[in-house]
Amino acid sequence: MKTPLPRLARRSAFSLIELLMVIAIIATVTAFVAPSFNSIIVGSDLTCAGQMIGDQMMYARQEAVTKNQEVQVRFYNLSNDATKGWRGVQVWRIEQTKTGSVAMAAGRMLLIRENVMINADAGLSPLLTADPHISGTANVPGHGAIAYAGFRFRANGATDNSITEANSFLTLQNAKAQGPVPANYYTIQVNPVTGKTTIFRP
Amino acid sequence: MSDVLPAYPGTAARRREERGKSAFTVLEILVATSILVMILVIVLGMVDQLSKIWRSSSERIEAFQSARLGFDLMTRNLRQATLNPYLDYEIDPTSLSPRRYLRKSDLRFLLGPAGKDDLPGVPDSGQAVFFQAPASYTLDAANCAGLDSLINTSGYYIGFTRNTALPPHVETAVNPYRYRLIQLLVPAEKKNIYDPSMKDNEKWFTDYVDTNSRIVADNIIALILRPQAPGSTSPDIITGKAYADYTYDSALNVNTDPQPVYANQLPPIVQVTMVAIDESSAKHIDAGPNQPNVITSALAGKFQNAANYTDDLDKLEKALMAARIRYRVFSSAIPIRESLWSK
């Protein structure tokens, strides 16, 4: 026995054309929205990375004050390019032993996401090159011999005297951003006297 | 599909009936949408409120964090103030023979009202202090690095300035005038205090205020420094005219006979009081390059007579509270280690 399908039911189904049109509209809207999503993601990664580096600096300062010893903040360049790839950060304690001072890692190296990096330009991140004592090449497991640079906190919570107001900051940005000053940046400044960090964003 | 239907003869009819009923009416959709919108508005409002609270509370913690760091730094530095006094003959200028022993010093401790005479700072913001302490600060790394007890001229006062250390790529539009705690620290190799002409006419710090001052903390509206003696019934040490009112100068009356107790001597205790406000309050009362009226009127005429210290602080707190300014008072009595106070 063959029952004809009810009219109402047949009408309520979507036709292929309708479906295609809806899919096309969704695709168009997504195409418009996707780039801004991307910038939101980079922006939030930038915030995340900046907070991580700021926290590491505060941790280093606190470590220096509580342990009454020099503590270094080292930044690592994970790429062969001298200016790109500054994405690693690690805190080092300088312990005084019978045989002299020995640098001991106070925690593992933390990496910021690949779409964010520290701009190594001297105008944007003079803190990277401010303290000539903390720069060189280190053998990091998994990365081989890589360049590092950084600065240090003294036991009183201040930075080394080589850090002045003019060279006390570094800037994070989108790794793909062009131009001398990126549209979105995250600048962290260390007060050379108190070791307090201040954040600047556009 | 048609093969299955015959087994349940009533199904098709029932389904038709249900389909007809199961469609939404416009009214239902409108009600549902408006409920959804209402829920969204409530949730978004809560999120917004939460983020506001989060921002304001973290701002408050931040503000007082930097104030606390500044206070710690200042008190630690002040505690180390040093004069290196020594006993030496006073030579009679005519007979060239020694007359008596005197306490002498090549260094100086000076504390007085900010913004008056040669002292820098915002008038009415309390006191400015200048002294020497072993901060081992030097810019001559080649010759002086690693010398741990180099003596530096240092000082503290309140300024009303822009941030002088703003990174050049940051928009200067967002660099407001604020009350700030400023530290003077002269590199050891530049110190000129050993030149008597510099020591006696305040050039040992006025020469450096423009070039060697740095901002230590923001939104500090008052710094009150009050020299005291331990164990005395009236805590303020010297009842002489120059000293009763929040001033102290180790170079005053050094040659009088007998030499007063404070001559070439450090004050045994300095009570340090610092009043900090938070950034959102500061933003609220911002008046551009002019000092906000609320603060100037709250501070006017205060902290000039040490006897009224508690009263003045009370009045200042009340004025800030009345203007809905969030503030915090940091206060501590700092014993000066190098003071060899004896009466």
Side-chain angles (χ1 to χ4, degrees), chain A residues 53-92:
Chain A
I53 287 184
D55 287 350
Q56 288 291 300
M57 287 181 183
M58 290 309 277
Y59 166 60
R61 185 199 174 274
Q62 193 186 330
E63 198 72 357
V65 173
T66 49
K67 299 245 163 74
N68 196 38
Q69 62 190 10
E70 183 185 313
V71 173
Q72 304 179 345
V73 181
R74 292 184 185 176
F75 302 99
Y76 293 93
N77 185 356
L78 302 179
S79 121
N80 295 325
D81 191 318
T83 57
K84 295 204 164 158
W86 288 92
R87 296 198 294 110
V89 58
Q90 191 175 27
V91 175
W92 286 76

Side-chain angles (χ1 to χ4, degrees), chain B:
Chain B
M1 205 205 276
S2 52
D3 296 339
V4 184
L5 282 174
Y8 309 94
T11 314
R14 203 186 309 145
R15 197 194 286 159
R16 191 189 312 151
E17 221 174 74
E18 276 174 2
R19 278 236 176 100
K21 268 187 194 161
S22 72
F24 294 116
T25 64
V26 178
L27 200 69
E28 282 169 345
I29 289 183
L30 279 180
V31 169
T33 322
S34 54
I35 289 175
L36 188 73
V37 167
M38 269 162 63
I39 291 174
L40 277 181
V41 165
I42 291 170
V43 168
L44 285 181
M46 277 163 67
V47 168
D48 188 49
Q49 200 68 21
L50 210 66
S51 79
K52 259 184 205 157
I53 291 170
W54 177 266
R55 207 176 312 138
S56 77
S57 57
S58 64
E59 216 166 56
R60 207 187 317 177
I61 292 169
E62 280 267 299
F64 297 130
Q65 234 172 25
S66 82
R68 180 166 291 122
L69 288 179
F71 187 74
D72 287 351
L73 173 87
M74 178 171 56
T75 50
R76 196 169 53 226
N77 198 356
L78 195 60
R79 198 171 275 147
Q80 294 179 323
T82 182
L83 267 189
N84 289 341
Y86 55 92
L87 290 175
D88 200 0
Y89 291 123
E90 182 187 39
I91 309 288
D92 191 301
T94 45
S95 67
L96 293 178
S97 58
R99 256 201 310 230
R100 58 173 173 145
Y101 268 131
L102 274 184
R103 191 169 48 242
K104 293 190 174 183
S105 172
D106 298 328
L107 309 175
R108 195 170 163 190
F109 185 99
L110 178 62
L111 188 160
K116 283 195 184 148
D117 302 328
D118 285 328
L119 292 165
V122 178
D124 281 334
S125 67
Q127 285 73 39
V129 63
F130 294 95
F131 55 93
Q132 281 78 37
S136 69
Y137 174 62
T138 172
L139 295 177
D140 184 5
N143 295 313
C144 304
L147 297 174
D148 282 346
S149 49
L150 285 175
I151 288 181
N152 296 100
T153 293
S154 34
Y156 294 91
Y157 57 95
I158 302 292
F160 186 73
T161 61
R162 287 194 148 139
N163 183 0
T164 48
L166 202 71
H169 63 277
V170 175
E171 290 93 6
T172 44
V174 285
N175 189 5
Y177 282 86
R178 292 283 183 265
Y179 289 95
R180 301 175 203 266
L181 177 65
I182 295 175
Q183 181 200 47
L184 171 81
L185 196 58
V186 182
E189 66 273 13
K190 282 194 185 172
K191 173 170 81 254
N192 65 5
I193 182 89
Y194 297 119
D195 180 346
S197 69
M198 297 291 177
K199 186 191 165 195
D200 293 339
N201 64 13
E202 274 83 41
K203 286 196 165 206
W204 56 282
F205 60 85
T206 52
D207 273 6
Y208 302 104
V209 162
D210 291 335
T211 50
N212 292 82
S213 291
R214 291 190 288 190
I215 294 166
V216 172
D218 298 339
N219 296 318
I220 312 293
I221 58 165
L223 171 66
I224 301 129
L225 302 155
R226 182 186 182 199
Q228 292 179 318
S232 59
T233 43
S234 72
D236 294 284
I237 4 174
I238 303 144
T239 47
K241 207 177 162 213
Y243 291 98
D245 307 328
Y246 299 102
T247 57
Y248 192 99
D249 184 357
S250 71
L252 202 78
N253 298 335
V254 283
N255 292 321
T256 50
D257 195 7
Q259 201 180 26
V261 65
Y262 53 81
N264 280 330
Q265 187 63 274
L266 290 163
I269 294 172
V270 176
Q271 183 173 14
V272 183
T273 308
M274 201 178 84
V275 183
I277 61 174
D278 76 343
E279 175 59 26
S280 54
S281 305
K283 214 178 275 170
H284 189 65
I285 56 171
D286 193 349
N290 304 314
Q291 292 181 50
N293 281 330
V294 188
I295 305 292
T296 47
S297 61
L299 282 170
K302 304 262 180 4
F303 304 111
Q304 290 173 5
N305 185 348
N308 299 337
Y309 169 79
T310 322
D311 205 31
D312 282 348
L313 194 59
D314 212 39
K315 277 183 192 155
L316 175 62
E317 288 189 48
K318 283 207 175 101
L320 292 177
M321 245 185 292
R324 296 175 165 274
I325 293 171
R326 269 200 295 265
Y327 68 93
R328 192 164 294 178
V329 178
F330 297 83
S331 188
S332 178
I334 306 300
I336 307 244
R337 216 186 295 159
E338 299 281 319
S339 174
L340 306 167
W341 197 262
S342 58
K343 277 192 174 171

